[in-house]
Amino acid sequence: MDFFELLKESLPMLMQGLMLTLQLSAVSLFFAMIIGIVASLMGMSKNIVLRGINRVLVAVVRGTPLLVQAFFIYFGITGLLNIRITAFLAGVIALSFNAGGYLSEIFRGGIQAVDPGQREAARSLGLSAAQTTWRIIIPQAIRICIPSVVNQWCITIKDTSIISVIGLAELTNAGDAIISRTYRSFEVWIMVGVLYFIVIWLLTKLARFVEKKVSLDEQH
Amino acid sequence: MNNTKSPKVEVRGLHKYFGKNEVLKGIDCDIQTGEVVCVIGPSGSGKSTFLRCINCLEEPTQGTVLVDGNLMDDKAKNIDELREDVGMVFQHFNLFPHLSVMENLTIAPILRKKMQKEEAEKVGMDLLTRVGLADKADAMPNSLSGGQKQRVAIARALAMRPGLMLFDEPTSALDPEMVGEVLDVMRQLAKEGMTMVIVTHEMGFARQVSNRVLFIDQGVIAEAGTPAEVFDNPQNDRTKSFLAKVLNA
Protein backbone atom coordinates (compact mmCIF):
# COMPACT_ATOMS: atom_id res chain seq x y z
CA MET A 1 0.00 0.00 0.00
CA ASP A 2 1.61 3.26 -1.06
CA PHE A 3 1.19 6.56 0.73
CA PHE A 4 -1.80 7.71 -1.28
CA GLU A 5 -3.68 4.47 -0.82
CA LEU A 6 -3.02 4.71 2.91
CA LEU A 7 -4.18 8.32 2.89
CA LYS A 8 -7.35 7.43 1.02
CA GLU A 9 -8.09 4.64 3.42
CA SER A 10 -7.30 6.62 6.57
CA LEU A 11 -8.88 9.92 5.66
CA PRO A 12 -12.52 9.15 6.59
CA MET A 13 -11.53 8.07 10.08
CA LEU A 14 -9.08 10.95 10.50
CA MET A 15 -11.75 13.43 9.38
CA GLN A 16 -14.15 11.97 11.91
CA GLY A 17 -11.50 12.42 14.57
CA LEU A 18 -10.84 15.96 13.36
CA MET A 19 -14.54 16.79 13.64
CA LEU A 20 -14.56 15.60 17.23
CA THR A 21 -11.38 17.59 17.92
CA LEU A 22 -13.01 20.71 16.50
CA GLN A 23 -16.20 20.16 18.50
CA LEU A 24 -14.28 19.56 21.70
CA SER A 25 -12.15 22.65 21.04
CA ALA A 26 -15.10 24.90 20.22
CA VAL A 27 -17.24 23.87 23.20
CA SER A 28 -14.29 23.96 25.61
CA LEU A 29 -13.07 27.34 24.39
CA PHE A 30 -16.58 28.77 24.62
CA PHE A 31 -16.81 27.83 28.29
CA ALA A 32 -13.16 28.70 28.85
CA MET A 33 -13.82 32.26 27.67
CA ILE A 34 -16.74 32.60 30.08
CA ILE A 35 -14.74 31.11 32.95
CA GLY A 36 -11.80 33.33 32.01
CA ILE A 37 -13.87 36.53 32.00
CA VAL A 38 -15.65 35.71 35.26
CA ALA A 39 -12.43 34.57 36.94
CA SER A 40 -10.51 37.66 35.82
CA LEU A 41 -13.25 39.90 37.23
CA MET A 42 -13.08 37.91 40.46
CA GLY A 43 -9.32 38.33 40.47
CA MET A 44 -9.67 42.12 40.29
CA SER A 45 -12.54 42.29 42.79
CA LYS A 46 -12.26 44.11 46.09
CA ASN A 47 -13.76 41.03 47.76
CA ILE A 48 -10.98 38.93 49.23
CA VAL A 49 -12.95 35.66 48.90
CA LEU A 50 -13.55 36.16 45.18
CA ARG A 51 -9.89 37.05 44.69
CA GLY A 52 -8.95 33.93 46.63
CA ILE A 53 -11.07 31.68 44.39
CA ASN A 54 -9.33 33.13 41.35
CA ARG A 55 -5.89 32.61 42.87
CA VAL A 56 -6.65 28.96 43.69
CA LEU A 57 -8.01 28.27 40.20
CA VAL A 58 -4.97 29.79 38.52
CA ALA A 59 -2.54 28.07 40.89
CA VAL A 60 -4.11 24.62 40.40
CA VAL A 61 -4.38 24.98 36.62
CA ARG A 62 -0.79 26.13 36.36
CA GLY A 63 0.60 23.78 38.94
CA THR A 64 -0.75 20.46 37.67
CA PRO A 65 -0.54 18.78 34.25
CA LEU A 66 -3.64 18.75 32.06
CA LEU A 67 -3.32 14.98 31.82
CA VAL A 68 -3.64 14.69 35.60
CA GLN A 69 -6.57 17.13 35.59
CA ALA A 70 -8.36 15.04 32.95
CA PHE A 71 -7.74 11.77 34.83
CA PHE A 72 -8.89 13.38 38.06
CA ILE A 73 -12.17 14.54 36.51
CA TYR A 74 -12.90 11.43 34.46
CA PHE A 75 -11.88 8.78 37.01
CA GLY A 76 -11.33 10.56 40.34
CA ILE A 77 -14.41 12.70 40.77
CA THR A 78 -16.76 10.31 39.00
CA GLY A 79 -15.48 7.46 41.17
CA LEU A 80 -15.93 9.45 44.35
CA LEU A 81 -19.46 10.57 43.44
CA ASN A 82 -20.23 7.23 41.86
CA ILE A 83 -21.47 8.73 38.61
CA ARG A 84 -20.53 8.21 34.97
CA ILE A 85 -19.87 10.96 32.48
CA THR A 86 -18.80 10.72 28.85
CA ALA A 87 -15.18 11.19 27.91
CA PHE A 88 -16.31 14.19 25.84
CA LEU A 89 -17.88 15.88 28.87
CA ALA A 90 -14.83 15.13 31.01
CA GLY A 91 -12.67 16.62 28.25
CA VAL A 92 -14.82 19.75 28.08
CA ILE A 93 -14.64 20.24 31.86
CA ALA A 94 -10.87 19.71 32.02
CA LEU A 95 -10.07 21.92 29.02
CA SER A 96 -12.55 24.66 30.01
CA PHE A 97 -11.07 25.09 33.45
CA ASN A 98 -7.52 24.69 32.22
CA ALA A 99 -7.82 27.28 29.44
CA GLY A 100 -10.15 29.40 31.61
CA GLY A 101 -7.46 29.73 34.25
CA TYR A 102 -4.86 30.88 31.74
CA LEU A 103 -7.33 33.18 29.96
CA SER A 104 -8.28 34.86 33.24
CA GLU A 105 -4.67 35.90 33.68
CA ILE A 106 -4.55 37.14 30.07
CA PHE A 107 -7.73 39.21 30.56
CA ARG A 108 -6.53 40.62 33.87
CA GLY A 109 -3.23 41.60 32.27
CA GLY A 110 -5.07 43.22 29.34
CA ILE A 111 -7.34 45.29 31.56
CA GLN A 112 -4.44 46.40 33.73
CA ALA A 113 -2.41 47.31 30.66
CA VAL A 114 -4.92 50.02 29.66
CA ASP A 115 -3.46 53.43 30.52
CA PRO A 116 -4.86 54.62 33.90
CA GLY A 117 -5.34 58.02 32.25
CA GLN A 118 -8.20 56.49 30.25
CA ARG A 119 -10.18 55.78 33.39
CA GLU A 120 -9.40 59.24 34.78
CA ALA A 121 -10.50 60.95 31.58
CA ALA A 122 -13.75 58.98 31.48
CA ARG A 123 -14.54 59.59 35.14
CA SER A 124 -13.73 63.30 34.81
CA LEU A 125 -16.40 63.52 32.08
CA GLY A 126 -18.92 62.14 34.55
CA LEU A 127 -19.03 58.55 33.28
CA SER A 128 -19.82 56.09 36.07
CA ALA A 129 -17.40 53.35 37.09
CA ALA A 130 -19.43 50.76 35.16
CA GLN A 131 -19.77 52.93 32.04
CA THR A 132 -16.04 53.54 32.15
CA THR A 133 -15.25 49.84 32.44
CA TRP A 134 -17.54 48.71 29.63
CA ARG A 135 -17.26 51.59 27.18
CA ILE A 136 -13.66 52.69 27.64
CA ILE A 137 -11.53 50.04 29.36
CA ILE A 138 -12.84 46.71 28.02
CA PRO A 139 -12.78 47.68 24.31
CA GLN A 140 -9.12 48.64 24.65
CA ALA A 141 -8.27 45.63 26.81
CA ILE A 142 -9.72 43.28 24.18
CA ARG A 143 -7.41 44.72 21.54
CA ILE A 144 -4.43 44.28 23.83
CA CYS A 145 -5.46 40.68 24.62
CA ILE A 146 -6.12 39.38 21.11
CA PRO A 147 -2.65 37.95 20.37
CA SER A 148 -2.39 36.20 23.75
CA VAL A 149 -5.95 34.89 23.58
CA VAL A 150 -5.37 33.43 20.11
CA ASN A 151 -2.17 31.86 21.41
CA GLN A 152 -4.15 30.22 24.22
CA TRP A 153 -6.75 28.99 21.72
CA CYS A 154 -3.98 27.33 19.68
CA ILE A 155 -2.58 25.66 22.79
CA THR A 156 -6.01 24.42 23.85
CA ILE A 157 -6.86 23.05 20.39
CA LYS A 158 -3.66 21.00 20.50
CA ASP A 159 -4.27 20.05 24.13
CA THR A 160 -7.45 18.26 23.05
CA SER A 161 -5.05 15.51 21.93
CA ILE A 162 -4.39 14.77 25.60
CA ILE A 163 -8.06 13.86 26.00
CA SER A 164 -7.37 10.88 23.70
CA VAL A 165 -5.97 9.02 26.71
CA ILE A 166 -9.39 8.79 28.34
CA GLY A 167 -10.68 7.13 25.19
CA LEU A 168 -12.26 9.95 23.21
CA ALA A 169 -11.93 9.17 19.50
CA GLU A 170 -10.61 12.58 18.51
CA LEU A 171 -7.89 13.14 15.93
CA THR A 172 -4.89 11.79 17.84
CA ASN A 173 -6.87 8.79 19.06
CA ALA A 174 -8.02 8.10 15.50
CA GLY A 175 -4.43 8.22 14.24
CA ASP A 176 -3.38 5.83 16.97
CA ALA A 177 -6.15 3.42 16.03
CA ILE A 178 -5.16 3.47 12.36
CA ILE A 179 -1.53 2.74 13.25
CA SER A 180 -2.44 -0.21 15.41
CA ARG A 181 -4.12 -1.69 12.35
CA THR A 182 -1.63 -0.70 9.64
CA TYR A 183 1.70 -0.31 11.52
CA ARG A 184 2.38 2.82 9.40
CA SER A 185 3.47 5.13 12.22
CA PHE A 186 5.62 7.45 10.10
CA GLU A 187 2.99 8.32 7.51
CA VAL A 188 -0.02 8.44 9.82
CA TRP A 189 1.55 10.77 12.35
CA ILE A 190 2.50 13.07 9.47
CA MET A 191 -1.14 13.10 8.36
CA VAL A 192 -2.34 13.80 11.90
CA GLY A 193 0.24 16.53 12.33
CA VAL A 194 -0.67 18.19 9.05
CA LEU A 195 -4.34 18.28 10.00
CA TYR A 196 -3.60 19.98 13.34
CA PHE A 197 -1.26 22.33 11.55
CA ILE A 198 -3.89 23.37 8.99
CA VAL A 199 -6.45 24.14 11.70
CA ILE A 200 -4.03 26.25 13.70
CA TRP A 201 -2.74 27.98 10.58
CA LEU A 202 -6.24 28.97 9.49
CA LEU A 203 -7.05 30.23 12.97
CA THR A 204 -3.87 32.29 13.07
CA LYS A 205 -4.64 33.79 9.66
CA LEU A 206 -8.14 34.73 10.81
CA ALA A 207 -6.76 36.24 14.01
CA ARG A 208 -4.24 38.35 12.08
CA PHE A 209 -7.06 39.64 9.93
CA VAL A 210 -9.22 40.57 12.93
CA GLU A 211 -6.25 42.10 14.71
CA LYS A 212 -5.52 44.35 11.74
CA LYS A 213 -9.17 45.25 11.42
CA VAL A 214 -9.47 46.53 14.99
CA SER A 215 -5.97 47.97 15.26
CA LEU A 216 -5.75 51.55 16.53
CA ASP A 217 -2.35 52.27 15.08
CA GLU A 218 -3.47 53.45 11.67
CA GLN A 219 -6.37 55.35 10.30
CA HIS A 220 -9.37 53.29 9.22
CA MET B 1 -26.44 76.75 46.84
CA ASN B 2 -25.88 78.56 43.57
CA ASN B 3 -25.79 81.97 45.20
CA THR B 4 -23.79 84.17 42.87
CA LYS B 5 -21.79 85.43 45.82
CA SER B 6 -20.54 82.03 46.91
CA PRO B 7 -17.30 80.91 45.23
CA LYS B 8 -17.25 78.32 42.46
CA VAL B 9 -14.64 76.30 44.32
CA GLU B 10 -13.91 76.30 48.05
CA VAL B 11 -10.91 74.35 49.29
CA ARG B 12 -10.54 74.03 53.06
CA GLY B 13 -7.69 72.48 55.02
CA LEU B 14 -6.74 70.13 52.19
CA HIS B 15 -4.15 67.51 53.05
CA LYS B 16 -3.14 64.62 50.80
CA TYR B 17 -0.86 61.74 51.64
CA PHE B 18 0.48 59.13 49.24
CA GLY B 19 1.46 56.47 51.72
CA LYS B 20 3.57 58.30 54.27
CA ASN B 21 4.47 61.07 51.87
CA GLU B 22 2.50 64.24 52.60
CA VAL B 23 2.06 65.92 49.23
CA LEU B 24 -0.44 68.62 50.23
CA LYS B 25 0.06 70.13 53.66
CA GLY B 26 -3.01 72.22 54.22
CA ILE B 27 -4.38 74.20 51.32
CA ASP B 28 -7.12 76.81 51.63
CA CYS B 29 -8.33 78.66 48.61
CA ASP B 30 -11.44 80.03 46.93
CA ILE B 31 -11.97 80.35 43.21
CA GLN B 32 -14.68 82.72 42.04
CA THR B 33 -16.93 82.17 39.06
CA GLY B 34 -15.30 83.56 35.92
CA GLU B 35 -11.85 83.63 37.46
CA VAL B 36 -8.81 82.29 35.64
CA VAL B 37 -6.28 80.95 38.13
CA CYS B 38 -2.86 79.71 37.12
CA VAL B 39 -0.99 77.39 39.45
CA ILE B 40 2.78 77.44 39.17
CA GLY B 41 5.57 75.86 41.17
CA PRO B 42 8.43 73.37 41.01
CA SER B 43 7.73 69.79 39.92
CA GLY B 44 6.71 67.56 42.78
CA SER B 45 5.33 70.52 44.70
CA GLY B 46 1.76 69.18 44.67
CA LYS B 47 0.26 71.39 41.93
CA SER B 48 -1.25 68.53 39.97
CA THR B 49 -2.44 66.75 43.11
CA PHE B 50 -4.20 69.95 44.18
CA LEU B 51 -5.91 70.14 40.79
CA ARG B 52 -6.88 66.47 40.86
CA CYS B 53 -8.43 66.89 44.28
CA ILE B 54 -10.83 69.50 42.89
CA ASN B 55 -12.72 66.92 40.78
CA CYS B 56 -11.90 64.17 43.22
CA LEU B 57 -9.64 62.11 40.98
CA GLU B 58 -7.55 62.10 44.15
CA GLU B 59 -9.43 61.77 47.37
CA PRO B 60 -8.35 64.24 50.05
CA THR B 61 -6.80 62.57 53.09
CA GLN B 62 -8.09 65.46 55.16
CA GLY B 63 -10.07 68.59 54.43
CA THR B 64 -12.84 69.37 51.96
CA VAL B 65 -13.36 70.57 48.42
CA LEU B 66 -16.68 72.17 47.53
CA VAL B 67 -17.74 72.95 43.96
CA ASP B 68 -20.86 75.12 43.82
CA GLY B 69 -21.29 74.27 47.49
CA ASN B 70 -21.33 70.51 46.82
CA LEU B 71 -18.83 68.31 48.60
CA MET B 72 -16.60 66.44 46.15
CA ASP B 73 -16.44 62.99 47.67
CA ASP B 74 -15.66 59.85 45.70
CA LYS B 75 -18.11 57.86 47.80
CA ALA B 76 -20.95 60.32 47.31
CA LYS B 77 -23.81 58.98 45.25
CA ASN B 78 -23.91 62.00 42.97
CA ILE B 79 -20.16 62.26 42.35
CA ASP B 80 -20.60 61.38 38.66
CA GLU B 81 -23.13 64.17 38.30
CA LEU B 82 -20.87 66.64 40.10
CA ARG B 83 -17.96 65.71 37.84
CA GLU B 84 -20.08 66.47 34.75
CA ASP B 85 -19.78 70.15 35.65
CA VAL B 86 -15.98 70.02 36.03
CA GLY B 87 -14.11 69.54 32.75
CA MET B 88 -10.54 68.30 32.88
CA VAL B 89 -7.72 68.44 30.35
CA PHE B 90 -4.71 66.21 30.94
CA GLN B 91 -1.04 66.52 30.14
CA HIS B 92 -1.16 63.37 28.01
CA PHE B 93 -4.54 64.17 26.39
CA ASN B 94 -6.06 60.80 27.31
CA LEU B 95 -8.28 60.72 24.24
CA PHE B 96 -10.14 57.43 23.85
CA PRO B 97 -8.08 55.79 21.07
CA HIS B 98 -10.79 53.29 20.07
CA LEU B 99 -13.30 56.05 19.33
CA SER B 100 -13.27 58.60 16.50
CA VAL B 101 -12.78 62.26 17.31
CA MET B 102 -16.53 62.85 17.10
CA GLU B 103 -17.28 59.83 19.30
CA ASN B 104 -14.80 61.15 21.85
CA LEU B 105 -16.90 64.31 22.01
CA THR B 106 -20.31 62.67 22.06
CA ILE B 107 -19.88 59.66 24.35
CA ALA B 108 -20.36 61.58 27.61
CA PRO B 109 -23.29 63.78 26.47
CA ILE B 110 -25.06 60.70 25.09
CA LEU B 111 -24.43 58.50 28.13
CA ARG B 112 -24.80 61.14 30.83
CA LYS B 113 -27.10 63.84 29.48
CA LYS B 114 -29.22 61.37 27.50
CA MET B 115 -28.68 63.53 24.44
CA GLN B 116 -29.76 62.18 21.06
CA LYS B 117 -26.83 61.21 18.84
CA GLU B 118 -27.73 63.81 16.19
CA GLU B 119 -27.96 66.59 18.75
CA ALA B 120 -24.69 65.54 20.42
CA GLU B 121 -22.97 65.50 17.02
CA LYS B 122 -24.25 68.97 16.25
CA VAL B 123 -22.84 70.25 19.54
CA GLY B 124 -19.65 68.31 18.82
CA MET B 125 -19.29 69.84 15.37
CA ASP B 126 -19.71 73.36 16.78
CA LEU B 127 -16.98 72.66 19.32
CA LEU B 128 -14.64 71.14 16.73
CA THR B 129 -15.16 74.22 14.58
CA ARG B 130 -14.27 76.40 17.56
CA VAL B 131 -10.98 74.56 18.09
CA GLY B 132 -10.32 74.55 14.33
CA LEU B 133 -10.67 70.80 13.75
CA ALA B 134 -14.02 70.43 12.03
CA ASP B 135 -12.34 68.43 9.26
CA LYS B 136 -11.07 65.84 11.77
CA ALA B 137 -14.46 64.68 13.06
CA ASP B 138 -14.10 61.20 11.55
CA ALA B 139 -10.38 60.80 12.22
CA MET B 140 -9.04 58.42 14.84
CA PRO B 141 -7.08 60.07 17.69
CA ASN B 142 -3.83 58.27 16.87
CA SER B 143 -3.72 59.98 13.47
CA LEU B 144 -3.63 63.45 15.05
CA SER B 145 -0.65 65.56 16.10
CA GLY B 146 -0.15 66.36 19.78
CA GLY B 147 -1.55 69.85 19.43
CA GLN B 148 -4.60 68.56 17.60
CA LYS B 149 -5.14 65.87 20.24
CA GLN B 150 -5.09 68.43 23.00
CA ARG B 151 -7.54 70.68 21.19
CA VAL B 152 -9.87 67.70 20.76
CA ALA B 153 -9.46 66.95 24.47
CA ILE B 154 -10.51 70.51 25.32
CA ALA B 155 -13.52 70.20 23.02
CA ARG B 156 -14.40 66.86 24.61
CA ALA B 157 -14.44 68.43 28.06
CA LEU B 158 -16.48 71.40 26.81
CA ALA B 159 -19.09 69.08 25.28
CA MET B 160 -20.47 68.51 28.78
CA ARG B 161 -20.94 72.29 29.14
CA PRO B 162 -18.96 72.44 32.38
CA GLY B 163 -18.99 75.48 34.62
CA LEU B 164 -15.35 74.91 35.56
CA MET B 165 -12.37 73.71 33.57
CA LEU B 166 -9.22 72.19 35.04
CA PHE B 167 -6.02 72.03 32.99
CA ASP B 168 -3.19 69.81 34.19
CA GLU B 169 -0.05 70.98 32.37
CA PRO B 170 -1.88 70.97 29.03
CA THR B 171 1.14 71.93 26.94
CA SER B 172 3.94 70.06 28.74
CA ALA B 173 3.81 67.02 26.46
CA LEU B 174 3.69 69.03 23.24
CA ASP B 175 6.39 69.82 20.73
CA PRO B 176 7.23 73.52 21.03
CA GLU B 177 5.66 74.46 17.72
CA MET B 178 2.28 73.11 18.88
CA VAL B 179 2.09 74.91 22.20
CA GLY B 180 0.71 78.08 20.62
CA GLU B 181 -2.38 76.52 19.02
CA VAL B 182 -3.45 75.00 22.36
CA LEU B 183 -2.82 78.19 24.33
CA ASP B 184 -4.85 80.13 21.74
CA VAL B 185 -7.87 77.92 22.38
CA MET B 186 -7.46 78.38 26.14
CA ARG B 187 -7.05 82.13 25.75
CA GLN B 188 -10.29 82.27 23.78
CA LEU B 189 -12.02 80.24 26.48
CA ALA B 190 -10.78 82.61 29.18
CA LYS B 191 -12.05 85.56 27.17
CA GLU B 192 -15.51 83.99 27.03
CA GLY B 193 -15.63 84.00 30.82
CA MET B 194 -14.97 80.32 31.60
CA THR B 195 -13.83 79.62 35.15
CA MET B 196 -10.42 77.98 34.76
CA VAL B 197 -7.74 76.51 36.98
CA ILE B 198 -4.55 75.91 35.01
CA VAL B 199 -1.43 74.14 36.22
CA THR B 200 1.24 75.36 33.85
CA HIS B 201 4.90 76.02 33.20
CA GLU B 202 4.07 78.63 30.54
CA MET B 203 4.90 81.74 32.56
CA GLY B 204 4.16 84.16 29.74
CA PHE B 205 0.73 82.65 29.27
CA ALA B 206 0.04 82.68 33.02
CA ARG B 207 0.96 86.34 33.24
CA GLN B 208 -1.23 87.19 30.26
CA VAL B 209 -4.49 85.34 30.94
CA SER B 210 -4.80 84.80 34.67
CA ASN B 211 -6.57 86.96 37.22
CA ARG B 212 -4.64 85.29 39.95
CA VAL B 213 -1.48 83.19 40.27
CA LEU B 214 -0.91 80.61 42.97
CA PHE B 215 2.65 79.57 43.68
CA ILE B 216 2.62 76.13 45.29
CA ASP B 217 5.79 74.82 46.89
CA GLN B 218 6.31 71.83 49.18
CA GLY B 219 2.57 71.21 49.49
CA VAL B 220 1.42 74.69 50.49
CA ILE B 221 0.39 77.86 48.67
CA ALA B 222 3.55 79.81 49.31
CA GLU B 223 2.38 82.92 47.51
CA ALA B 224 -0.78 84.13 45.76
CA GLY B 225 -1.69 87.32 43.99
CA THR B 226 -2.25 89.02 40.67
CA PRO B 227 0.24 88.12 37.92
CA ALA B 228 1.86 91.51 38.37
CA GLU B 229 2.30 90.95 42.10
CA VAL B 230 3.67 87.44 41.83
CA PHE B 231 5.85 87.83 38.74
CA ASP B 232 7.12 91.38 39.17
CA ASN B 233 7.26 91.73 42.91
CA PRO B 234 7.39 88.34 44.60
CA GLN B 235 7.51 88.49 48.39
CA ASN B 236 8.47 84.94 49.23
CA ASP B 237 12.10 83.86 48.81
CA ARG B 238 11.05 80.53 47.36
CA THR B 239 8.92 82.28 44.74
CA LYS B 240 11.88 84.49 43.88
CA SER B 241 14.28 81.62 43.42
CA PHE B 242 11.73 79.58 41.43
CA LEU B 243 10.97 82.48 39.10
CA ALA B 244 14.66 83.24 38.70
CA LYS B 245 15.21 79.66 37.56
CA VAL B 246 12.30 79.38 35.12
CA LEU B 247 12.43 82.88 33.69
CA ASN B 248 16.17 82.86 33.07
CA ALA B 249 16.24 79.37 31.63
Side-chain angles (χ1 to χ4, degrees):
Chain A
M1 196 160 47
D2 70 12
F3 180 81
F4 290 100
E5 271 174 68
L6 180 67
L7 180 67
K8 211 175 135 198
E9 195 173 290
S10 308
L11 213 48
M13 200 170 157
L14 288 177
M15 288 317 263
Q16 253 178 15
L18 179 63
M19 279 304 137
L20 206 51
T21 290
L22 292 178
Q23 283 167 18
L24 181 62
S25 302
V27 176
S28 300
L29 285 173
F30 174 78
F31 288 112
M33 291 294 279
I34 294 173
I35 291 171
I37 290 166
V38 172
S40 70
L41 293 175
M42 287 165 80
M44 288 177 292
S45 155
K46 285 187 184 118
N47 185 319
I48 191 166
V49 177
L50 294 180
R51 275 210 315 274
I53 294 173
N54 171 272
R55 294 264 166 80
V56 170
L57 171 71
V58 172
V60 169
V61 162
R62 269 187 187 151
T64 59
L66 177 59
L67 185 59
V68 174
Q69 294 164 16
F71 278 149
F72 178 72
I73 289 164
Y74 190 56
F75 299 114
I77 291 185
T78 53
L80 184 73
L81 299 177
N82 207 10
I83 49 170
R84 288 197 65 87
I85 59 173
T86 63
F88 188 84
L89 180 59
V92 167
I93 295 172
L95 288 167
S96 300
F97 276 96
N98 186 278
Y102 287 115
L103 284 169
S104 84
E105 285 293 279
I106 293 171
F107 294 145
R108 191 171 63 91
I111 286 172
Q112 287 172 348
V114 176
D115 176 7
Q118 292 289 309
R119 181 173 292 280
E120 293 179 354
R123 296 308 301 274
S124 77
L125 287 166
L127 266 58
S128 69
Q131 285 171 332
T132 301
T133 299
W134 291 106
R135 307 296 291 253
I136 305 299
I137 306 297
I138 302 269
Q140 296 183 54
I142 288 173
R143 288 172 170 85
I144 295 171
C145 285
I146 288 175
S148 312
V149 168
V150 171
N151 202 38
Q152 183 59 48
W153 286 1
C154 294
I155 291 171
T156 299
I157 289 171
K158 290 183 292 181
D159 277 355
T160 57
S161 65
I162 288 176
I163 305 304
S164 67
V165 297
I166 57 176
L168 187 72
E170 45 63 77
L171 182 54
T172 300
N173 194 300
D176 206 28
I178 292 168
I179 291 164
S180 60
R181 225 180 39 229
T182 62
Y183 303 104
R184 302 285 287 270
S185 247
F186 181 78
E187 294 95 329
V188 173
W189 286 130
I190 285 181
M191 293 176 204
V192 169
V194 166
L195 286 175
Y196 278 114
F197 187 91
I198 291 172
V199 171
I200 302 290
W201 184 76
L202 288 174
L203 178 67
T204 314
K205 280 277 161 207
L206 179 71
R208 269 285 143 76
F209 175 75
V210 172
E211 213 179 310
K212 252 195 190 146
K213 199 96 190 155
V214 302
S215 161
L216 302 171
D217 292 335
E218 59 228 292
Q219 226 172 331
H220 297 280
Chain B
M1 298 272 272
N2 283 316
N3 188 328
T4 46
K5 285 265 176 157
S6 77
K8 183 78 187 166
V9 182
E10 293 172 72
V11 179
R12 291 287 173 271
L14 178 62
H15 290 255
K16 176 69 187 177
Y17 285 80
F18 289 112
K20 284 197 173 137
N21 184 18
E22 188 177 19
V23 178
L24 296 180
K25 302 174 181 168
I27 294 214
D28 291 273
C29 127
D30 284 353
I31 291 158
Q32 306 299 330
T33 301
E35 213 180 1
V36 176
V37 176
C38 280
V39 183
I40 61 170
S43 52
S45 60
K47 310 181 294 288
S48 288
T49 306
F50 164 66
L51 195 74
R52 291 158 59 85
C53 281
I54 295 178
N55 69 349
C56 209
L57 281 183
E58 303 291 352
E59 219 177 334
T61 311
Q62 213 184 89
T64 56
V65 175
L66 304 184
V67 174
D68 287 324
N70 299 301
L71 180 67
M72 299 301 283
D73 173 8
D74 200 42
K75 288 176 194 73
K77 251 198 179 141
N78 61 346
I79 184 68
D80 298 332
E81 229 168 282
L82 296 178
R83 282 200 183 110
E84 289 176 17
D85 190 50
V86 184
M88 182 146 187
V89 175
F90 299 85
Q91 182 178 357
H92 296 288
F93 330 124
N94 298 355
L95 292 180
F96 306 133
H98 60 302
L99 302 178
S100 72
V101 165
M102 182 54 87
E103 287 165 335
N104 266 273
L105 266 66
T106 57
I107 184 168
I110 290 172
L111 287 179
R112 301 304 305 178
K113 300 209 182 239
K114 305 293 168 214
M115 227 185 245
Q116 292 299 313
K117 188 167 175 252
E118 294 72 34
E119 193 193 351
E121 286 183 349
K122 203 171 149 282
V123 173
M125 205 38 128
D126 286 347
L127 286 166
L128 284 180
T129 308
R130 264 175 71 183
V131 300
L133 292 170
D135 56 324
K136 296 290 185 189
D138 297 323
M140 296 305 280
N142 285 348
S143 70
L144 303 180
S145 73
Q148 292 172 331
K149 280 182 188 165
Q150 196 61 299
R151 285 186 281 154
V152 171
I154 293 171
R156 176 178 68 177
L158 292 174
M160 290 302 278
R161 304 200 178 288
L164 167 67
M165 286 283 286
L166 309 175
F167 295 83
D168 190 2
E169 302 196 24
T171 58
S172 297
L174 296 178
D175 291 336
E177 77 266 26
M178 294 172 181
V179 170
E181 63 193 67
V182 171
L183 294 183
D184 283 342
V185 170
M186 293 170 63
R187 219 172 264 132
Q188 184 60 33
L189 207 51
K191 217 180 276 174
E192 289 163 16
M194 174 64 77
T195 312
M196 297 161 76
V197 185
I198 306 163
V199 172
T200 185
H201 292 293
E202 299 288 333
M203 297 302 152
F205 174 78
R207 181 196 285 264
Q208 190 190 7
V209 302
S210 57
N211 308 104
R212 196 147 51 102
V213 175
L214 305 180
F215 172 67
I216 293 189
D217 188 33
Q218 295 171 22
V220 296
I221 298 179
E223 186 155 0
T226 64
E229 287 167 355
V230 174
F231 287 117
D232 300 334
N233 191 18
Q235 302 300 310
N236 189 308
D237 285 341
R238 285 188 282 173
T239 319
K240 284 179 199 167
S241 84
F242 172 75
L243 288 174
K245 268 182 232 157
V246 294
L247 296 177
N248 299 329

